[in-house]
Amino acid sequence: MKRKSLLYTAGVVALLYSCSTKDLSSVDPFGYSVKDLEKVSLPEVSFERPAPITVAPGALKVTALGAAAVTELSGTGTLSSSTQQFADAVVRTAPQAEASAVIRETTSATLAQILNQKAYTGAQKGFISSFKKLPAQAAGYLPQLTLPVVQGKPAAARTGAVEGTAAPVTVEAVTKGEDGCKSSALEALQKVLQKLQDKKGDQLAKAEAEYQKDLKEARTADKCEAEKNRKSAVQELDKKYKKLYSDLEKNKKNTTSAAALNALFYAELDGINTLYQQELAACNQAVSLREAAAMAAFNNNKQKIEAGYKQEADKATGIANAIINACHNQGGGK
């Protein structure tokens, strides 16, 4: 079979001037005609949508032990044995110099300033860092923090990767010739290829428009509430602790009670600030991932369009070659 095919090809090359233009539509040893060629067109493309990006919000929860301790500290100053143990643990764990400085600088008058400051003082930072060393029972008085999660992972663990563009598609050239039969087939092919290219251009333009729309949605899908959430949280913290610090100053409670109050206050403030930073990171990460998802969908859509174009262009080229070969087989001239 292979030998016969080779001989047939040689025969096709030898017979070039065999049919006229008017004969093209009737030449059919391969089952093709110019009409078949003209029917070739690009299919419609169903555009892929960007993959959804999920963000689970974080939360700061005051524990039952912490809430009970705050209630006791707002009273006469008499602490339950368990709250007293917590206060003693704070005094033992926190560096004395930092704890004393925090007691001096944290008052009902300075509370608003502390809540709005951009960074901790050295004493505050050292005092807050000591919470990590508290024994498990004492740590149970501090608020519990749940960080926001983007696509099932903490924001800091995510990276947005942008995929590359599709490789250019080339169309195999049809057999060239100058006789009338072949020229007519080639002319019909060029018109079909131009039609395919125009349709491809329209589809690529639509894909680009969809991408720009997806990109805009990626940047505005979820309004970042980090600033709003922190503002609301510190306002509540101010209401909650301002009277406590005022009572502490009036009643001249002992250093142990002051240490406990500061530990509860700064642990909650640090939780609010940590959650704020993580919410900002989650917002930025979600935008980056949505942009990457939009780009990935755009690239996939372009690849679909290019693949569809190549498939139909190859089909048209094959039909044109079949018609030309049929012209040869007819054995006629121009």
Side-chain angles (χ1 to χ4, degrees), residues 33-232:
S33 69
V34 171
K35 289 182 179 179
D36 295 314
L37 185 57
E38 292 172 346
K39 291 177 182 177
V40 177
S41 64
L42 282 189
E44 295 299 324
V45 177
S46 178
F47 290 130
E48 178 180 319
R49 299 290 301 146
I53 304 300
T54 60
V55 180
L60 183 67
K61 182 180 178 181
V62 174
T63 65
L65 288 173
V70 168
T71 299
E72 292 177 23
L73 288 165
S74 65
T76 61
T78 303
L79 304 181
S80 64
S81 59
S82 58
T83 301
Q84 184 66 53
Q85 289 174 1
F86 162 68
D88 291 339
V90 171
V91 172
R92 289 194 303 270
T93 305
Q96 185 175 355
E98 279 83 350
S100 298
V102 167
I103 290 173
R104 288 195 306 272
E105 67 188 30
T106 309
T107 67
S108 58
T110 62
L111 206 58
Q113 176 187 338
I114 292 170
L115 289 171
N116 292 316
Q117 67 189 21
K118 297 293 184 180
Y120 299 124
T121 65
Q124 291 168 351
K125 188 180 296 183
F127 185 63
I128 292 169
S129 296
S130 70
F131 299 160
K132 297 177 182 178
K133 301 176 184 178
L134 285 172
Q137 184 177 0
Y141 281 78
L142 304 182
Q144 297 176 340
L145 181 63
T146 302
L147 297 179
V149 172
V150 181
Q151 288 295 85
K153 295 182 180 180
R158 303 295 316 187
T159 57
V162 177
E163 298 186 10
T165 57
V169 177
T170 57
V171 179
E172 181 181 354
V174 73
T175 305
K176 295 182 182 296
E178 296 178 358
D179 62 89
C181 179
K182 292 176 66 177
S183 295
S184 296
L186 287 171
E187 182 180 351
L189 174 63
Q190 291 302 318
K191 289 180 180 179
V192 171
L193 290 179
Q194 186 61 55
K195 179 181 70 173
L196 295 178
Q197 288 172 355
D198 290 344
K199 183 68 177 292
K200 182 182 77 167
D202 291 341
Q203 290 181 343
L204 288 172
K206 289 178 181 178
E208 172 69 27
E210 285 295 311
Y211 169 60
Q212 293 301 328
K213 178 181 175 183
D214 292 337
L215 207 57
K216 183 178 180 180
E217 289 178 358
R219 293 164 181 167
T220 59
D222 293 319
K223 184 178 180 182
C224 190
E225 301 286 349
E227 292 285 352
K228 178 182 176 181
N229 291 342
R230 186 187 183 280
K231 183 178 180 180
S232 176

Side-chain angles (χ1 to χ4, degrees), residues 245-262:
Y245 277 103
S246 179
D247 290 344
L248 183 70
E249 295 151 17
K250 291 176 182 176
N251 298 330
K252 297 183 179 180
K253 295 179 181 178
N254 59 40
T255 302
T256 304
S257 294
L261 182 63
N262 280 332

